[in-house]
Amino acid sequence: QVQLVESGGGLVQAGGSLRLSCAASGFTFTYYAWAWFRQAPGKEREFVATINRSGRSTSYSDSVKERFTISRDNDKKTVYLQMNSLEPEDTAVYYCAAKRTILTAGHYSLEDDYDYWGQGTQVTVSS
């Protein structure tokens, strides 16, 4: 049974930090590239960050570049999103997503690219 379970969301003041985790089970973690997306109230879901299968390459949206870091731990089958210098505009439900790929170096930033999704975790940044 495929499961992606996010955790680590919460309420934080502007300028603070949070680390989101996404624990995977039910499939071969290392066969997948991973990403984080987010959806703010009244807005469409948007791409945040992605990491390739090897973990050696990442890509970010312009809005989070230099503030957020995506990483993966293949032994723990977990993907992380370290979020620093948080802003009220970062308030959203954050989703992790996994894409099966044979390309170790591929980056994928479109929702339709992804095969599995987590249930989401709420991040609220107060001003």
Side-chain angles (χ1 to χ4, degrees), residues 88-105:
E89 293 73 23
D90 296 317
T91 294
V93 177
Y94 283 71
Y95 299 89
C96 63
K99 173 184 172 55
R100 173 73 183 260
T101 176
I102 62 172
L103 301 175
T104 58

Side-chain angles (χ1 to χ4, degrees), residues 31-108:
Y31 288 176
Y32 288 75
W34 288 83
W36 289 92
F37 290 79
R38 68 186 182 186
Q39 187 168 21
K43 296 187 177 181
E44 294 186 349
R45 189 155 55 185
E46 65 173 0
F47 166 76
V48 173
T50 185
I51 188 166
N52 65 1
R53 275 186 57 184
S54 70
R56 296 191 186 97
S57 183
T58 58
S59 179
Y60 300 89
S61 68
D62 288 343
S63 62
V64 307
K65 202 174 295 183
E66 307 298 334
R67 299 188 298 123
F68 290 10
T69 303
I70 187 172
S71 61
R72 61 189 293 162
D73 185 328
N74 289 342
D75 292 334
K76 294 183 178 179
K77 299 181 181 179
T78 301
V79 179
Y80 302 98
L81 186 68
Q82 178 66 44
M83 306 186 294
N84 298 329
S85 302
L86 283 161
E87 303 167 353
E89 293 73 23
D90 296 317
T91 294
V93 177
Y94 283 71
Y95 299 89
C96 63
K99 173 184 172 55
R100 173 73 183 260
T101 176
I102 62 172
L103 301 175
T104 58
H107 283 156
Y108 308 92

Side-chain angles (χ1 to χ4, degrees), residues 5-10 18-22 36-39 81 83 90-96 118-124:
V5 180
E6 295 115 334
S7 61
L18 283 174
R19 188 176 81 155
L20 306 183
S21 300
C22 175
W36 289 92
F37 290 79
R38 68 186 182 186
Q39 187 168 21
L81 186 68
M83 306 186 294
D90 296 317
T91 294
V93 177
Y94 283 71
Y95 299 89
C96 63
Q119 81 287 353
T121 186
Q122 176 70 47
V123 171
T124 303

